[in-house]
Amino acid sequence: MPKKLFDFSNIKGDFTGGLVAGVVALPLALAFGVQSGMGATAGLYGAIMVGIFAALFGGTQTQASGPTGPMTVVSAALVTAAIGMTGSLESAMGIILLSFLLGGVLQIVFGLINIAGYVKYFPYSVVSGFMSGVGLIIIILQLFPFVGLSSAKSTTAVIQDLPRLFSDFNGYALALGVLTVIVYYVFPLITKAIPSALVALIVAAVTGYLLGWDVPIIGDIPSGIPELKIDALFGGIPAESYTLILEYAAVLAVLGSIDSLLTSVIADNMTKTKHNSNRELIGQGIGNMLAAFVGGIPGAGATKGTVVNINAGGKTRLSGMTHGLFLLAVLLGLGSLASYIPLSVLAGLLIPIGFKIIDTKGLKHLLRVPKADAVVLVLVLLVTTFGSLIQAVGLGVALACILFMKKASDLGEKGIVVETLEDLNDEKPWEDELPYYDVYKDKILIKHLKGPLFFGFTAHLKNQIAAIETKIEVLIIRMDQVPLVDQSGLYALEDIVLDLEQKGVEVFFVGLQEQPMDKLRSIDIIPDLVSEEHHFQTIQEAFIALKPILKKE
């Protein structure tokens, strides 16, 4: 019997979760709209359309979708390039919206041809470098709005213009920006019942309004149902812009897919469910296509909105749709009030978000992870931040291929056979485990890893471990035949240990070779997450240590 589209069994929790997610999304949608260069209205329109329709057609029951930092940065780069080609935002609107529309179409195609199955082959270092670059772009481009000044559209131009930041700043705007940041970080210490972003927005905006300070504001926001942009989409787009449209559509589709699927995995971990990757991409594509038809910016699965939706009780797609419908209600009823929000307040919301997007874990371990991974991360970060986003994505894909070939070559030189992890569930005990197998088989699980643990295999390993039954008490990971681990592999092992720790399952490592041992120590997985007492050279040593732990049960 086919599964129902809507499940009304959790209607109260879905309504509450969607409402809270909508409250979180409102200030961010306005801020991302402004950052895109298309205005706050475009952010709100995008949040409504993607929020409602990605939830309706998507493959993650609890996903709350809308404009995100990475998607907005790409959109802003497209807007700048299109205006440079045509001379004005109005003239460029056809190029911009057609790029958004085609990006949505490509996502639907990705879902239909199972492109989601290949996302796991992006190395951690590439994704980390790109996301950190996006975070830096958001921070740099909001420096001037934070102090009440208009900003250049590229990071290099902003840095060259920095002296003006200190000579021409608007003190009132700076005060409101600082107030926004303070409330954003301090309010959660008081209570987390109300999203701090919304409180910061209201407190700073009302303060500026009551004091009558002269600061740049959002300006007019149209109320009512958004109008279709058919004329702009299909009204005489210049032929010389087709390459630009195709390039940015491809980047938006790839980035939106990665962004959404990463959030889907987080939702799975929180709800103990399994999303449908292909359907999720189709849903995101439909949402982004419809957003383009009304002049909204594209979006993706939003991690923060999804997390608060789940924590507030959301369990089905009704929660994500409620989040979008709430934003529509705000547009219809309170759009005129939003027009008075100072731009420095929105900058005060975006700058902390930029810092959150930066992968501090990856940067902190730059000197400890394999050198090739560190070089890739830094190169992608620099090209993303100061070069072209198109080039950054292309560089990331090329470097991923090079990394894969290099590691395969290293293994070939060592005469090592690379084996997949497909049969982990059905693996049989090794000969040296047989004396202990029958005694402990109901309380422990042994996973045998064979070959290198690098980015091509980490996603499957994490899925296998996530499926472990919680009745076991100890997981033994045998790495006798693992010659090397890359950055993706290290962080996969870290995630596995942390997840199992939350389930009350202890982790033992057995047979670590020199390179994996060095790397696990370099980022403190040993001894911070897995103590020295839980690392053994032989399986016999591990079973001896297990006896006092399991003897009483």
Side-chain angles (χ1 to χ4, degrees), residues 36-209:
S36 74
M38 295 175 65
T41 307
L44 198 51
Y45 287 175
I48 292 167
M49 302 305 283
V50 179
I52 294 173
F53 291 99
L56 176 60
F57 296 107
T60 310
Q61 289 286 328
T62 52
Q63 188 98 291
S65 301
T68 63
M71 293 293 279
T72 302
V73 167
V74 177
S75 299
L78 167 62
V79 170
T80 300
I83 291 175
M85 185 176 288
T86 62
S88 69
L89 178 60
E90 185 178 356
S91 302
M93 194 59 74
I95 296 173
I96 296 166
L97 296 183
L98 188 57
S99 300
F100 294 166
L101 178 68
L102 184 56
V105 172
L106 287 175
Q107 283 188 289
I108 294 174
V109 173
F110 289 172
L112 293 174
I113 64 174
N114 190 29
I115 205 74
Y118 296 92
V119 170
K120 64 186 178 183
Y121 292 108
F122 272 86
Y124 182 94
S125 52
V126 172
V127 176
S128 173
F130 190 82
M131 290 300 184
S132 295
V134 165
L136 283 175
I137 290 173
I138 291 175
I139 294 167
I140 293 170
L141 294 184
Q142 290 304 313
L143 290 176
F144 279 79
F146 189 75
V147 298
L149 300 175
S150 60
S151 176
K153 299 302 181 183
S154 71
T155 52
T156 51
V158 168
I159 291 173
Q160 291 169 356
D161 198 26
L162 277 179
R164 186 168 66 92
L165 188 73
F166 302 98
S167 61
D168 298 345
F169 69 89
N170 181 323
Y172 295 142
L174 175 60
L176 292 178
V178 171
L179 176 62
T180 304
V181 174
I182 291 173
V183 174
Y184 182 89
Y185 283 115
V186 172
F187 191 76
L189 302 178
I190 301 170
T191 177
K192 295 183 179 179
I194 305 173
S196 64
L198 182 66
V199 176
L201 176 75
I202 294 173
V203 169
V206 170
T207 299
Y209 181 79

Side-chain angles (χ1 to χ4, degrees), residues 354-372:
F355 278 110
K356 283 186 176 180
I357 292 174
I358 293 173
D359 180 23
T360 52
K361 179 172 77 171
L363 295 175
K364 182 175 68 175
H365 295 150
L366 269 181
L367 299 178
R368 302 177 181 179
V369 299
K371 290 180 181 178

Side-chain angles (χ1 to χ4, degrees), residues 8 10 16 36 90 99 114 129 163 179 191 210-211 269 273 290 307 345 364 384 411 430 435 477 503 533 551:
F8 296 97
N10 187 53
T16 304
S36 74
E90 185 178 356
S99 300
N114 190 29
L179 176 62
T191 177
L210 294 178
L211 294 177
N269 290 336
T273 57
L290 294 176
V307 169
V345 172
K364 182 175 68 175
T384 301
L411 292 171
W430 288 355
I477 302 178
K503 297 177 182 178
E533 291 75 20
K551 182 168 54 176

Side-chain angles (χ1 to χ4, degrees), residues 277-510:
S277 297
N278 293 321
R279 179 170 175 173
E280 183 60 34
L281 296 190
I282 292 171
Q284 293 292 334
I286 292 172
N288 285 326
M289 284 179 62
L290 294 176
F293 274 111
V294 297
I297 61 175
T303 302
K304 188 170 185 179
T306 300
V307 169
V308 300
N309 176 30
I310 295 168
N311 287 337
K315 291 184 179 179
T316 79
R317 66 183 69 256
L318 288 171
S319 59
M321 294 178 66
T322 301
H323 136 266
L325 290 169
F326 168 79
L327 295 173
L328 177 60
V330 170
L331 173 67
L332 298 177
L334 301 175
S336 58
L337 291 179
S339 63
Y340 293 101
I341 298 173
L343 296 180
S344 61
V345 172
L346 297 182
L349 294 175
L350 286 171
I351 288 174
I353 289 171
F355 278 110
K356 283 186 176 180
I357 292 174
I358 293 173
D359 180 23
T360 52
K361 179 172 77 171
L363 295 175
K364 182 175 68 175
H365 295 150
L366 269 181
L367 299 178
R368 302 177 181 179
V369 299
K371 290 180 181 178
D373 290 310
V375 170
V376 168
L377 192 157
V378 172
L379 282 176
V380 175
L381 186 154
L382 292 175
V383 174
T384 301
T385 307
F386 301 108
S388 161
L389 289 166
I390 302 290
Q391 294 170 351
V393 171
L395 176 66
V397 172
L399 290 174
C401 296
I402 293 171
L403 269 181
F404 189 93
M405 289 186 291
K406 179 186 181 301
K407 287 167 183 174
S409 172
D410 291 345
L411 292 171
E413 290 175 5
K414 293 182 179 181
I416 295 168
V417 177
V418 179
E419 298 187 33
T420 66
L421 305 173
E422 293 295 332
D423 301 318
L424 279 177
N425 274 344
D426 300 321
E427 59 194 283
K428 304 299 181 184
W430 288 355
E431 187 174 346
D432 58 356
E433 298 161 3
L434 290 174
Y436 314 94
Y437 179 72
D438 290 331
V439 178
Y440 295 114
K441 64 181 179 181
D442 294 328
K443 297 179 181 179
I444 66 171
L445 185 65
I446 303 174
K447 289 297 180 185
H448 309 110
L449 304 188
K450 302 177 184 178
L453 185 58
F454 60 101
F455 62 87
F457 304 108
T458 54
H460 185 75
L461 174 62
K462 290 173 71 173
N463 288 337
Q464 289 286 324
I465 299 296
I468 288 175
E469 296 181 9
T470 53
K471 66 179 182 180
I472 72 157
E473 299 174 28
V474 178
L475 171 70
I476 298 176
I477 302 178
R478 293 203 63 171
M479 300 181 65
D480 313 57
Q481 298 181 30
V482 178
L484 61 88
V485 180
D486 76 349
Q487 189 175 15
S488 298
L490 285 173
Y491 290 151
L493 288 173
E494 182 181 50
D495 290 342
I496 286 167
V497 174
L498 288 171
D499 289 344
L500 290 175
E501 191 177 73
Q502 292 178 351
K503 297 177 182 178
V505 178
E506 294 190 62
V507 177
F508 285 11
F509 284 128
V510 171

